[in-house]
Amino acid sequence: MKILMFGRGVISAVYGWALERAGHHVEFYVRPGRAAAYGDAIDLDLLDARRLPWGKRVTEKWPVRYRESLEPDHDFDLIVLSVQHYGFAEATAFLGPRVGGATVLVFNNLWVEPLTAIEHLPTEQVAWGFPGAGGGFGDDGVLRAALLPVVFLGTLGQPPTERERAVRELFRAAGFTFREDPDFRGWLAIHFIQNAGLHTQSLRRGSLSTLTRRDVREAILAVRELLPLVEARGVELRRHRGDLLPFTAPVWLAAPAVAWLLARFPPMRRVTTAHANPEELRAVCRDALAEARRLGVKVPRLEAAEPYFTDGHLALK
């Protein structure tokens, strides 16, 4: 399969590497002038947990292919779109007239309604997913990340199309397992508020990896306060009981387990320590709080954390 990764962010790089290793042709679309700045290889320090729960460390200089233009008559089979959620509209506006015959895998955090988010894309060519990986580029240019064995895939209430089934087979053949959710709209909303709740504490502490058990307890309670917000947006929480269990179980039981996972489980610790984009975390909190105020939902813990994600706080930093 010929695959175009849209941008050279963490997710694009990690999954581009994995898919190329699986025998696919992978290229990266980058803005004009960026290819020379990036150089012809990505320095990887990757914890690959697809086969070993604790992960296998991979360090290499990975040669990559860039392109700085994209015409509609390209021959890519798949375009993987994973950008910051606040840059998604700009990315889809650019990509819309250039999709050609490719499937577009939306591999992205989203807070706006999914069908609104893809209004510039041909809906029948879109597949929905979310990565099980994370990390960041360090000041030295090295990408330190962890690649977990699971990816999250779903649909908006319909059975998977032929294109979506092809995406599932692509990941399966590359050594991944996947979680399927027919209410991916709800899954995305719940994932977003889970992030917002956790980041009420990580922004205060400076990192998810430094959260104490008490911090994790407060984060769990912040997520609980945000659940009525996704309900107000029409999400049926009962359809997502499994995903919500760490945040709905007794807090005395959940907090130690989540704290251990974030601080001690090697792949998750790699993700939490290497994440290098605090603005993304602030934007998640700001957008969740704005929606809560718009819908009149009380979220006291998120409101209490507001000084850590407002523009005024950024200026002080």
Side-chain angles (χ1 to χ4, degrees):
M1 187 177 286
K2 190 170 182 180
I3 301 170
L4 180 68
M5 312 303 292
F6 191 86
R8 183 190 172 269
V10 172
I11 299 305
S12 293
V14 169
Y15 284 94
W17 173 84
L19 293 173
E20 186 173 277
R21 279 289 186 93
H24 301 283
H25 177 95
V26 173
E27 296 182 27
F28 292 84
Y29 170 79
V30 296
R31 295 178 188 271
R34 293 286 178 85
Y38 287 143
D40 58 3
I42 295 176
D43 286 320
L44 282 176
D45 184 349
L46 180 67
L47 201 59
D48 184 355
R50 283 176 293 171
R51 293 173 180 84
L52 297 173
W54 301 97
K56 176 183 177 181
R57 190 177 181 190
V58 178
T59 57
E60 66 175 70
K61 187 177 286 288
W62 173 42
V64 294
R65 306 176 188 91
Y66 295 116
R67 61 167 51 222
E68 295 182 343
S69 63
L70 185 64
E71 301 302 325
D73 60 350
H74 62 75
D75 60 349
F76 288 102
D77 303 295
L78 178 69
I79 299 172
V80 179
L81 178 56
S82 183
V83 297
Q84 307 303 341
H85 78 277
Y86 47 80
F88 191 81
E90 180 184 1
T92 55
F94 171 85
L95 189 57
R98 298 171 174 85
V99 170
T103 297
V104 179
L105 172 60
V106 175
F107 216 39
N108 221 89
N109 205 12
L110 288 176
W111 189 227
V112 300
E113 288 293 331
L115 290 179
T116 300
I118 62 165
E119 61 184 352
H120 297 296
L121 302 177
T123 306
E124 69 279 3
Q125 291 176 231
V126 171
W128 296 94
F130 195 88
F137 285 93
D139 293 338
D140 56 1
V142 176
L143 173 56
R144 295 176 177 86
L147 181 64
L148 302 179
V150 64
V151 293
F152 303 89
L153 301 169
T155 61
L156 305 183
Q158 302 295 328
T161 64
E162 183 177 344
R163 289 176 181 269
E164 290 170 319
R165 289 193 295 271
V167 169
R168 283 147 178 75
E169 180 55 34
L170 171 75
F171 282 107
R172 184 185 291 112
F176 294 95
T177 60
F178 62 87
R179 291 258 317 271
E180 182 81 39
D181 197 315
D183 178 27
F184 210 62
R185 170 185 177 271
W187 190 95
L188 286 168
I190 286 170
H191 182 270
F192 199 93
I193 62 108
Q194 287 173 346
N195 279 354
L198 286 170
H199 296 320
T200 61
Q201 302 305 308
S202 70
L203 289 171
R204 182 175 64 86
R205 283 285 185 179
S207 171
L208 276 171
S209 64
T210 61
L211 297 189
T212 66
R213 191 174 298 183
R214 179 182 176 85
D215 297 329
V216 172
R217 178 183 182 277
E218 286 300 302
I220 289 172
L221 294 175
V223 173
R224 288 186 186 179
E225 292 175 355
L226 285 159
L227 292 178
L229 177 58
V230 292
E231 281 190 300
R233 300 183 86 193
V235 175
E236 296 180 38
L237 296 182
R238 61 181 178 80
R239 300 183 65 177
H240 302 276
R241 286 190 292 264
D243 294 309
L244 289 171
L245 188 59
F247 303 95
T248 56
V251 72
W252 60 265
L253 180 64
V258 173
W260 180 89
L261 186 68
L262 294 175
R264 299 295 181 184
F265 183 53
M268 284 303 301
R269 182 167 178 81
R270 170 64 68 94
V271 171
T272 58
T273 55
H275 195 287
N277 186 2
E279 175 52 25
E280 176 189 359
L281 316 185
R282 290 188 281 255
V284 166
C285 293
R286 285 197 299 268
D287 289 353
L289 182 56
E291 182 75 343
R293 286 171 172 163
R294 185 182 74 84
L295 294 176
V297 177
K298 299 298 183 183
V299 286
R301 283 180 169 81
L302 184 58
E303 288 187 333
E306 189 174 8
Y308 295 99
F309 55 82
T310 60
D311 292 337
H313 182 71
L314 290 178
L316 292 173
K317 298 291 282 188

